[in-house]
Amino acid sequence: MKKYYWPLIVSISLSLGILLGGFFVSVSRQSTPGLFLNQNKLKLYRLLDLIEQEYVDQVNTDSIVDNTVTTILEQLDPHSVYIGKDLMKEVTESMQGSFVGVGVQYYLYKDSLAVIKPVKDGPSFRAGVKAGDRILKADDHKLFGKKISSDSISNVLRGEEGTEINLLVYRKINDKTFNIKLTREPIALKSIDAVLKLDNNLGYLKINRFSNTTYDEFKSGLDDLIQQGIDGLIIDLRDNSGGYMDQATKMLNDLLLPEQVIVKTINRGGKEKITKVKGSGLYVDQPIYVLVNENSASASEIIAGAIQDNDRGTIVGRRTFGKGLVQRELNLGDGSAIRLTTARYYTPSGRSIQKSYKRGIDEYNNDFRTRYNNGELYAADSIKIADSLQYKTLKGRIVYGGGGIVPDIFVPLGVKHSEDAIEMMMKSGMVSYFVFQEIDKEREKFLKMNDSELINYLKSNKQLFANFKAYLANNKLLFNLEKHKKLVVHFLIAEYLYQLGSPEAYYKWLLSTDPMINSIELKEKQ
């Protein structure tokens, strides 16, 4: 969806284009020394030596080894993966929940670094960097021109904690250039995007992944919502591909009753480990709704499965991804690592929700297309469920194993098939780039508006839709948008609210017409 030639957003000065897709334990160790070398292993080492010594051309054997490790792991299962040393730093920062830098979200806009917004309370924010500023230089490094890249910018802006950096900043709004000196600090990579009290008096938490900081963020957000007097809680796990197991279990400790089962795991030796709720539970009386879709995987499915099997709440949305394998991260000694599947997990009722991967990784990864073609994304009765995989919840409700968690309330992908492509396009990076460009033309005017004034202005601005159509045409993208004008403008307003306001304003606007949220409101009225 985002494979366009325009500059892509680089979130908080770090590109994280890595599918986490993991449900794994937060434990690492070095490879075990002294492993017995059988003849097959010796053959592999001998082959590499012969290539290095005898092959006619110079060969990068490191690359060969990397490809070999990847190929070996692909023979096991889709979630045993190799992480090269070049990617390990980014993966580690993402899952640890922070990196050291200056704290700006930016675009590469017309060959220059343009600030979308500084991270609140970060070093750039405190030093006075504002949305729309161009950072021209960092120390002696030029940050504009055709040869500049996202990687080079990230390498310059990041560094050791406590180190100073001098920025040359151009502020377009008043046509001034000035210097700012600041100190690099740890910048939080939040795993919870929004904490809101909705108009229906339900609390809302949007979780994008399960990192080392997720439970602390969840606990803080839940405490805040409880103090606001919510009547129920919505946990949004849509498009959350997973992460650390312990963070999911800590969350469930706050939501389930003491001694209720959270999850079961079985390792290679057949040893079963049952994880139960410890403690008294922070939020155990009021309704819970868990929003899921076809991209909710792994730790997200642990949450959904435990809530469903213990009859604690209602699962809303579409059938989840179907990942029932647990990985352990193991270092290989050179800065690289593997995530190796070491166990299978089961929901409290005993369900395995791992979908089959017997037809190969390509077929496994194209499951969305299969569901689309089968009509499952639009009709609940198109979901293929094996009657032999029936299980019962604590109260005796029938639930099913197999590929993923089937929701209690089904919500289709879209009302009309024809709007699917439009909605996916409107959630892409191209829309945020267009909005930045439009704001940049009249930033001073927009900064004087509050959220309500901004919404009313954009709703009545007929030129907005016309400008967006022209922008698509200039990028050789042909969409028939006339029938979908209301939908297009709705998403454009959301992006304006994000760039000029806050993530909370962005989510509150989008959730006002969200079909899954609306399905909850209908259930509440029944």
Side-chain angles (χ1 to χ4, degrees):
M1 182 174 65
K2 294 187 179 181
K3 293 181 179 178
Y4 301 103
Y5 63 83
W6 51 76
L8 297 177
I9 182 172
V10 182
S11 178
I12 319 177
S13 76
L14 176 65
S15 277
L16 291 177
I18 301 164
L19 175 63
L20 298 177
F23 175 75
F24 50 93
V25 291
S26 50
V27 176
S28 296
R29 63 174 174 82
Q30 296 294 328
S31 300
T32 305
L35 290 174
F36 176 72
L37 296 180
N38 62 30
Q39 289 301 314
N40 286 331
K41 294 173 185 174
L42 288 173
K43 183 190 296 184
L44 182 59
Y45 298 149
R46 178 62 173 158
L47 172 61
L48 291 172
D49 286 341
L50 289 172
I51 290 172
E52 280 190 330
Q53 297 168 14
E54 304 292 342
Y55 187 67
V56 63
D57 296 322
Q58 291 291 326
V59 174
N60 183 349
T61 52
D62 289 343
S63 176
I64 291 176
V65 171
D66 287 353
N67 291 335
T68 301
V69 173
T70 298
T71 302
I72 290 172
L73 292 174
E74 285 176 349
Q75 310 308 307
L76 304 178
D77 66 82
H79 299 288
S80 290
V81 296
Y82 171 68
I83 306 171
K85 55 187 176 183
D86 293 339
L87 287 178
M88 269 304 295
K89 184 177 180 181
E90 293 181 18
V91 173
T92 300
E93 286 174 343
S94 173
M95 298 313 298
Q96 291 302 317
S98 69
F99 69 97
V100 176
V102 301
V104 290
Q105 298 179 34
Y106 64 86
Y107 282 118
L108 285 179
Y109 179 70
K110 296 182 178 178
D111 300 329
S112 66
L113 189 162
V115 176
I116 304 170
K117 59 171 64 175
V119 176
K120 188 176 180 180
D121 298 326
S124 292
F125 180 90
R126 296 197 307 272
V129 175
K130 297 182 181 298
D133 286 350
R134 272 60 165 178
I135 301 178
L136 304 179
K137 294 180 72 175
D139 291 331
D140 295 327
H141 300 279
K142 187 175 74 169
L143 298 181
F144 61 92
K146 292 184 178 180
K147 294 184 178 181
I148 197 71
S149 68
S150 296
D151 287 341
S152 62
I153 290 173
S154 181
N155 291 336
V156 170
L157 296 182
R158 290 186 294 168
E160 297 296 323
E161 183 176 356
T163 56
E164 290 188 340
I165 184 171
N166 292 289
L167 304 180
L168 178 64
V169 178
Y170 170 70
R171 182 158 296 160
K172 181 183 176 183
I173 200 168
N174 54 20
D175 194 27
K176 290 185 178 180
T177 302
F178 52 94
N179 288 286
I180 289 178
K181 179 184 284 189
L182 49 81
T183 303
R184 294 182 179 93
E185 297 176 5
I187 307 298
L189 291 169
K190 296 289 187 181
S191 59
I192 293 186
D193 292 329
V195 179
L196 299 171
K197 182 180 178 181
L198 303 180
D199 292 339
N200 57 12
N201 219 41
L202 294 178
Y204 174 85
L205 285 160
K206 170 63 177 175
I207 307 175
N208 63 58
R209 71 189 187 285
F210 291 87
S211 71
N212 265 353
T213 63
T214 299
Y215 173 70
D216 290 338
E217 294 177 51
F218 170 80
K219 177 67 163 52
S220 175
L222 182 57
D223 284 340
D224 182 52
L225 291 172
I226 291 173
Q227 289 178 10
Q228 295 183 55
I230 57 172
D231 294 332
L233 178 66
I234 300 171
I235 302 174
D236 191 344
L237 299 177
R238 288 175 289 184
D239 300 316
N240 183 324
S241 60
Y244 287 141
M245 171 180 176
D246 62 332
Q247 301 298 304
T249 57
K250 285 179 180 178
M251 283 176 55
L252 289 164
N253 274 324
D254 286 344
L255 303 175
L256 299 176
L257 295 172
E259 295 304 309
Q260 285 187 324
V261 175
I262 293 174
V263 67
K264 304 174 184 178
T265 59
I266 299 178
N267 66 13
R268 176 176 177 171
K271 183 178 179 180
E272 182 182 72
K273 178 182 177 182
I274 300 177
T275 302
K276 294 184 178 181
V277 174
K278 298 178 181 178
S280 58
L282 174 66
Y283 192 81
V284 295
D285 297 321
Q286 292 183 307
I288 290 177
Y289 303 91
V290 180
L291 309 187
V292 296
N293 65 8
E294 52 283 341
N295 295 319
S296 302
S298 201
S300 294
E301 294 173 297
I302 290 299
I303 299 282
I307 293 295
Q308 190 176 59
D309 284 5
N310 287 295
D311 293 297
R312 175 63 185 91
T314 305
I315 311 303
V316 180
R318 296 182 293 279
R319 182 166 63 99
T320 61
F321 182 85
K323 179 179 181 295
L325 303 176
V326 183
Q327 285 72 48
R328 187 174 185 181
E329 191 169 287
L330 304 170
N331 295 329
L332 296 180
D334 65 344
S336 64
I338 61 170
R339 283 182 184 159
L340 187 67
T341 297
T342 57
R344 297 181 181 273
Y345 75 78
Y346 300 81
T347 70
S349 65
R351 291 184 285 169
S352 169
I353 53 89
Q354 174 63 47
K355 65 184 180 183
S356 174
Y357 46 87
K358 292 181 180 180
R359 295 183 179 179
I361 291 179
D362 288 342
E363 186 75 17
Y364 184 87
N365 290 334
N366 286 326
D367 186 54
F368 177 86
R369 183 181 61 193
T370 302
R371 297 188 193 192
Y372 184 92
N373 292 336
N374 290 342
E376 176 186 327
L377 302 178
Y378 300 96
D381 56 9
S382 296
I383 301 175
K384 295 181 179 179
I385 300 174
D387 291 338
S388 60
L389 298 177
Q390 286 188 2
Y391 295 82
K392 290 186 177 181
T393 68
L394 280 182
K395 294 182 179 179
R397 291 190 303 124
I398 299 296
V399 289
Y400 293 90
I405 302 289
V406 177
D408 303 307
I409 298 176
F410 176 80
V411 180
L413 181 62
V415 177
K416 301 176 182 177
H417 283 46
S418 60
E419 290 189 347
D420 296 341
I422 302 297
E423 186 165 328
M424 291 178 69
M425 183 264 292
M426 294 306 298
K427 292 179 179 179
S428 71
M430 60 178 295
V431 174
S432 55
Y433 189 79
F434 165 77
V435 169
F436 177 85
Q437 181 175 274
E438 293 298 295
I439 291 173
D440 207 49
K441 295 175 183 176
E442 302 179 282
R443 188 172 297 274
E444 191 169 10
K445 179 180 74 174
F446 287 118
L447 290 176
K448 294 177 181 177
M449 300 180 187
N450 60 33
D451 290 347
S452 296
E453 291 169 339
L454 176 64
I455 291 169
N456 291 332
Y457 170 78
L458 294 173
K459 281 183 175 180
S460 62
N461 184 358
K462 296 180 180 180
Q463 195 60 39
L464 176 63
F465 184 68
N467 288 349
F468 184 64
K469 287 199 303 180
Y471 168 76
L472 294 182
N474 288 337
N475 285 282
K476 296 181 173 56
L477 292 169
L478 302 178
F479 286 91
N480 184 6
L481 299 181
E482 293 300 331
K483 294 181 180 180
H484 312 289
K485 181 177 180 179
K486 186 176 179 180
L487 180 68
V488 169
V489 172
H490 183 72
F491 277 100
L492 289 174
I493 290 173
E495 187 60 32
Y496 270 89
L497 286 168
Y498 176 79
Q499 293 194 27
L500 290 166
S502 66
E504 286 73 23
Y506 167 84
Y507 277 101
K508 194 166 186 177
W509 173 256
L510 286 181
L511 293 173
S512 65
T513 59
D514 190 302
M516 291 195 191
I517 299 295
N518 291 338
S519 71
I520 292 173
E521 292 180 348
L522 290 173
K523 182 178 186 298
E524 289 290 295
K525 293 176 182 178
Q526 292 175 353

